[in-house]
Amino acid sequence: GESVGLHLPTLSVQEGDNSIINCAYSNSASDYFIWYKQESGKGPQFIIDIRSNMDKRQGQRVTVLLNKTVKHLSLQIAATQPGDSAVYFCAEFLGGYNKLIFGAGTRLAVHP
Amino acid sequence: SAVISQKPSRDICQRGTSLTIQCQVDSQVTMMFWYRQQPGQSLTLIATANQGSEATYESGFVIDKFPISRPNLTFSTLTVSNMSPEDSSIYLCSVTQGAHPGELFFGEGSRLTVL
């Protein structure tokens, strides 16, 4: 299999602060990227996506930034809440192979 | 978005046995994907299951170990054969039904523990 994360780093933030979760992707040909949120005992849930012809996309309290030059994605969460505590994964879509490949996740821990 | 149901949600299995995981979707979908998530790790694609054709397996996964069926557009099964403790993982079914073919929706997963 591809892109198996070995460890899950943890980002700890205070409630109300902004969170930034980073991700490096591997394939220059990837043309679509997604951030997923996975809560304990559940499957991943779609948060926000971005196409390769964009460098920024905003949702409700979330913003995704794409830097194709260095193959880097980030997810920014504004005013982080306890309900945001979860593991976050970035994923890249390999259009030529029609498959979604996940990067290593980051655990977000929100403290009151 | 599609509603995806997986059975079993969890199971404890003896080594050497096989277990079949079922994935039911509430609408017809062309492509279904099976992922594995080992404890504390990311998701790894096992195979793509298309109706009416053989599943396409990723590097490191073989049909003898992970046979897949896709009898219709709403259902698929993944069998984990001759299990060992290393097969203890969450197995996730997913489908593409969003605005983009890369936008996957996931089931809750099937958590297998092999003793």
Side-chain angles (χ1 to χ4, degrees), chain B residues 3 6-7 10 20 28 42 48 51 55 57 81 87 90 107 111:
Chain B
V3 176
Q6 281 187 238
K7 290 181 184 178
R10 58 177 62 232
T20 296
Q28 293 185 339
S42 185
T48 303
Q51 195 267 334
Y57 289 84
S81 303
D87 294 319
I90 301 171
R111 182 184 294 270

Side-chain angles (χ1 to χ4, degrees), chain B residues 11-53:
Chain B
D11 207 341
I12 299 173
C13 310
Q14 297 298 318
R15 85 172 58 211
T17 63
S18 299
L19 183 78
T20 296
I21 302 166
Q22 298 179 3
C23 177
Q24 179 74 53
V25 189
D26 68 343
S27 56
Q28 293 185 339
V29 293
T30 304
M31 300 184 75
M32 296 178 78
F33 303 86
W34 287 97
Y35 283 82
R36 180 176 74 181
Q37 187 175 25
Q38 293 177 304
Q41 295 193 19
S42 185
L43 283 76
T44 303
L45 182 62
I46 298 172
T48 303
N50 297 320
Q51 195 267 334
S53 63

Side-chain angles (χ1 to χ4, degrees), chain A residues 81-97:
Chain A
Q81 302 168 0
D84 295 326
S85 294
V87 177
Y88 290 81
F89 295 98
C90 68
E92 58 183 308
F93 181 69
L94 304 182
Y97 299 92

Side-chain angles (χ1 to χ4, degrees), chain A residues 1-8 31-32 34 36 38 40-46 49 51 89 93 97-105 107, chain B residues 10 31 33 35-45 48 58-61 90 92 96 99-109 111:
Chain A
E2 299 180 45
S3 194
V4 175
L6 296 178
H7 300 286
L8 290 180
D31 59 4
Y32 178 72
I34 304 180
Y36 283 91
Q38 186 177 29
S40 180
K42 295 187 177 181
Q45 292 178 291
F46 173 94
D49 60 358
R51 296 181 188 245
F89 295 98
F93 181 69
Y97 299 92
N98 217 22
K99 59 186 180 182
L100 194 66
I101 303 301
F102 281 75
R107 185 179 305 278
Chain B
R10 58 177 62 232
M31 300 184 75
F33 303 86
Y35 283 82
R36 180 176 74 181
Q37 187 175 25
Q38 293 177 304
Q41 295 193 19
S42 185
L43 283 76
T44 303
L45 182 62
T48 303
E58 296 300 304
S59 175
F61 297 96
I90 301 171
L92 295 143
T96 175
H100 188 281
E103 185 181 343
L104 295 189
F105 296 91
F106 284 84
E108 298 285 88
R111 182 184 294 270

Side-chain angles (χ1 to χ4, degrees), chain B residues 37-100:
Chain B
Q37 187 175 25
Q38 293 177 304
Q41 295 193 19
S42 185
L43 283 76
T44 303
L45 182 62
I46 298 172
T48 303
N50 297 320
Q51 195 267 334
S53 63
E54 292 282 330
T56 303
Y57 289 84
E58 296 300 304
S59 175
F61 297 96
V62 295
I63 188 171
D64 289 347
K65 176 67 176 177
F66 297 101
I68 287 171
S69 79
R70 182 80 202 273
N72 57 52
L73 292 174
T74 64
F75 187 79
S76 178
T77 67
L78 169 75
T79 299
V80 187
S81 303
N82 188 24
M83 287 185 282
S84 67
E86 292 71 34
D87 294 319
S88 297
S89 287
I90 301 171
Y91 292 86
L92 295 143
C93 170
S94 66
V95 304
T96 175
Q97 208 183 36
H100 188 281

